[in-house]
Amino acid sequence: MATTSAIPGAIRCTSLPFGSVDADLLVIPWFEEEGPTAVAGIDAASAGDVARALQSKEFVGRSYDIFSTHVTDAAWRIRRLAMVGAGKRATFGTETARRLAVAVGLWARQRRVARAAFLMRADAVGGATSAQMAQAIAEGLTLAEFDGGSYKTREHDVSATPAWTVVAAAGEESASQAAEGIARGRVLGECSNLARELANEPGNRLTPQEFARRAAAVASEAGVSVEILDETQIAKLGMGLLLGVARGSDEPPRMIVFRHDPPGAPATPVLGLVGKGVTFDTGGISIKPADGMERMKDDMAGGAAVACAMRAIALLQAPIRVIGIVPATENMPGGRAIKPGDVLTSASGKTVEVINTDAEGRLILGDGLWYASELGATHLVDVATLTGAVVVALGKSTSGLFGTPPEFVDQVRRVANQAGDRAWALPLFDDYRDQLKSKIADFTNTGGRPAGSITAALFISEFTGGLPWVHMDIAGTAWADEAKPYLPKGATGVAVRTLAELAFSDFE
Ligand code: BES
Ligand code: MN
Ligand code: ZN
């Protein structure tokens, strides 16, 4: 796993009648309310086995259930069918399709299917265009190819992934649209997987320097220009917050700067993406309990999302300028570590009294956001595994959104939900700022337990220079503790598709 994954092959697209598609398996999404004739030809091809399974309720179309049977019709090239439950037709949309594609993709891998076809039903696009539906399916099939990797020296089972063909309805005009959607979904899925791979890496392998090297490779391969600032350059810029967090570690910090500058792009907007890149968070002197601390190797998931979104933005040729900023450091309790009560001076000039050294993410984001605005960003979006409190508020399936103005927060929310990164806004009422009052500095870095995610966001807002800004807290969504049919355990790649798609959305 120490090397970057191979770039996957393309997902093919065809509009052949599905019986003549050259594959081993045909996957057909099926709704709960549907009888055996819902998709013409399927029941007959199975010599009535589909009708029998529906009749006996062996298969009822419940989400992610899979029923597989032989094709008996000798005229078909495909020899197996798999019906996958799509739930109720009324709730079907791109998000259901993406999840269903993951579920069936994982299933086909487990069965060692070599070549599989996925039927995109023309009567099941749920209000989306066929390009959007094809994109979601390609994203899901690609997400299912992710391999968590392993440092086991024996018996690591890298099950091969099937070669996929998406079958758009025969004769459909929108087949070329579907093909475009598939190519786009393939890129976004692949970039999500690269972010998952980075977030899965252990802290000893992925130091700030190594993270910077790998993040730079991921983005520059796609044509993004990348600059890595070392500790001397970071000090020259006066980034006292990033340097403060890094003091407790023997590993030097890095500031990774990405630029997507397409020729002919308008001067504005300039989207500034900032990702938290803590390669391991022990908590520092305010050290975390041992139990579960190993999870903190993914505290750079926001930074990985920015790097991999920059890759997608370049590959998909986003029409606007985008700057990516990833402050990278460890948070360690070394002999020179910052201590509770220490005062740090940020690059912006504002001073911070560090009450809790475990609230390090907001510190490095402060210098990161300042730098993004310094480099000319007109709109800021930061992504960070920032607070345990957001998991209490929204759980493991929904990221927290914060920011200003409300229209920009809502723009990010819509893009995120469309991209399959569910997110929900929490308020930034001014009263909460009282919790960050310091006797000795401009403010403290923690506001106590109440509204912990909100006070963290209010801290960050001090460094946005009044620009439109959205903060996405992914502490709950970056890592799956429990496997779901549509999401295996481990790093999720959250926010990659949101950040990439944002570069294609409309700015004021
Ligand atoms: N990286 C953690 C947040 C986190 C917690 C991410 C759980 C994923 C899962 C962050 O740096 C942190 O330690 N936050 C503290 C802030 C507190 C000291 C104000 C927290 O949430 O406890
Ligand atoms: Mn912390
Ligand atoms: Zn952290």
Side-chain angles (χ1 to χ4, degrees):
M1 233 229 358
T3 55
T4 301
S5 311
I7 307 301
I11 294 175
R12 294 193 305 149
C13 182
T14 178
S15 53
L16 286 174
F18 41 74
S20 23
V21 175
D22 187 19
D24 306 313
L25 172 82
L26 176 68
V27 172
I28 307 133
W30 207 272
F31 293 111
E32 282 180 22
E33 46 275 88
E34 290 186 324
T37 57
V39 179
I42 295 294
D43 186 44
S46 72
D49 202 32
V50 167
R52 183 205 51 77
L54 291 169
Q55 173 69 37
S56 69
K57 301 214 177 344
E58 179 183 344
F59 177 77
V60 294
R62 201 173 47 213
S63 295
Y64 318 117
D65 280 0
I66 293 171
F67 169 75
S68 165
T69 186
H70 289 287
V71 172
T72 56
D73 186 339
W76 277 47
R77 286 182 88 160
I78 291 181
R79 302 317 306 158
R80 261 195 108 71
L81 295 174
M83 295 153 75
V84 53
K88 295 205 164 50
R89 187 182 272 276
T91 57
F92 190 77
T94 50
E95 174 61 1
T96 347
R98 187 184 292 106
R99 289 182 170 197
L100 187 145
V102 175
V104 84
L106 293 171
W107 178 86
R109 265 181 76 181
Q110 233 173 29
R111 310 240 149 185
R112 304 282 196 280
V113 176
R115 299 169 314 151
F118 189 105
L119 179 64
M120 189 173 109
R121 290 177 51 178
D123 64 336
V125 287
T129 65
S130 56
Q132 288 168 330
M133 187 48 80
Q135 180 185 329
I137 291 167
E139 286 172 7
L141 295 175
T142 307
L143 291 168
E145 292 181 358
F146 178 64
D147 192 302
S150 166
Y151 288 99
K152 286 184 197 291
T153 54
R154 294 182 321 127
E155 71 195 40
H156 176 52
D157 176 22
V158 195
S159 41
T161 63
W164 281 99
T165 301
V166 172
V167 186
E172 194 192 347
E173 301 173 351
S174 51
S176 73
Q177 261 202 54
E180 271 172 42
I182 289 166
R184 188 180 177 87
R186 189 63 166 164
V187 168
L188 290 166
E190 180 231 356
C191 291
S192 306
N193 287 346
L194 287 169
R196 296 163 87 183
E197 191 177 312
L198 286 169
N200 265 342
E201 284 287 304
N204 65 330
R205 304 278 174 159
L206 202 78
T207 60
Q209 291 180 78
E210 180 61 13
F211 180 35
R213 274 193 289 272
R214 288 181 58 176
V218 153
S220 59
E221 270 168 27
V224 175
S225 60
V226 187
E227 204 185 333
I228 300 174
L229 308 186
D230 65 15
E231 61 274 32
T232 316
Q233 293 163 297
I234 292 168
K236 255 197 203 121
L237 287 162
M239 296 182 171
L241 302 183
L242 175 57
L243 287 175
V245 173
R247 278 181 70 88
S249 170
D250 285 352
E251 296 288 343
R254 290 292 180 262
M255 180 68 89
I256 321 168
V257 183
F258 306 90
R259 283 189 184 81
H260 170 72
D261 242 323
T268 60
V270 181
L271 181 57
L273 307 178
V274 182
K276 173 178 175 181
V278 173
T279 59
F280 196 86
D281 181 12
T282 67
I285 294 298
S286 315
I287 199 161
K288 289 180 181 295
D291 217 26
M293 201 206 274
E294 69 283 356
R295 243 296 307 278
M296 287 300 125
K297 69 175 185 176
D298 86 331
D299 213 19
M300 33 53 71
V306 167
C308 297
M310 291 303 300
R311 176 187 177 92
I313 283 167
L315 290 175
L316 299 174
Q317 303 179 338
I320 61 166
R321 295 173 57 202
V322 185
I323 297 171
I325 301 286
V326 178
T329 180
E330 287 187 331
N331 186 24
M332 296 283 284
R336 298 175 64 82
I338 49 167
K339 302 164 287 293
D342 284 0
V343 174
L344 301 175
T345 302
S346 67
S348 75
K350 293 185 181 180
T351 56
V352 179
E353 181 186 6
V354 177
I355 299 297
N356 189 318
T357 65
D358 198 10
E360 85 296 344
R362 63 197 76 181
L363 293 174
I364 70 170
L365 288 171
D367 279 342
L369 284 161
W370 170 83
Y371 198 44
S373 66
E374 194 70 7
L375 294 179
T378 60
H379 294 73
L380 298 169
V381 179
D382 78 79
V383 184
T385 45
L386 204 67
T387 64
V390 83
V391 193
V392 176
L394 295 172
K396 297 282 300 170
S397 65
T398 308
S399 302
L401 288 184
F402 310 79
T404 180
E407 295 73 25
F408 189 40
V409 180
D410 206 53
Q411 178 181 348
V412 175
R413 185 189 60 79
R414 275 184 274 110
V415 170
N417 289 338
Q418 178 69 31
D421 292 327
R422 197 194 295 152
W424 202 257
L426 292 173
L428 287 184
F429 300 127
D430 240 15
D431 319 41
Y432 293 112
R433 282 186 199 275
D434 294 347
Q435 290 173 237
L436 295 175
K437 277 199 176 130
S438 165
K439 286 215 163 63
I440 182 169
D442 291 336
F443 31 82
T444 62
N445 75 329
T446 57
R449 280 174 67 79
S453 304
I454 292 173
T455 53
L458 282 171
F459 178 94
I460 295 171
S461 75
E462 294 285 348
F463 301 93
T464 58
L467 294 173
W469 153 76
V470 174
H471 158 60
M472 190 168 180
D473 193 336
I474 58 168
T477 49
W479 192 268
D481 296 322
E482 277 168 46
K484 297 262 164 57
Y486 51 85
L487 185 67
K489 281 188 195 184
T492 62
V494 67
V496 173
R497 298 189 302 278
T498 299
L499 296 180
E501 294 279 24
L502 199 57
F504 292 86
S505 70
D506 286 329
F507 285 82
E508 304 278 290

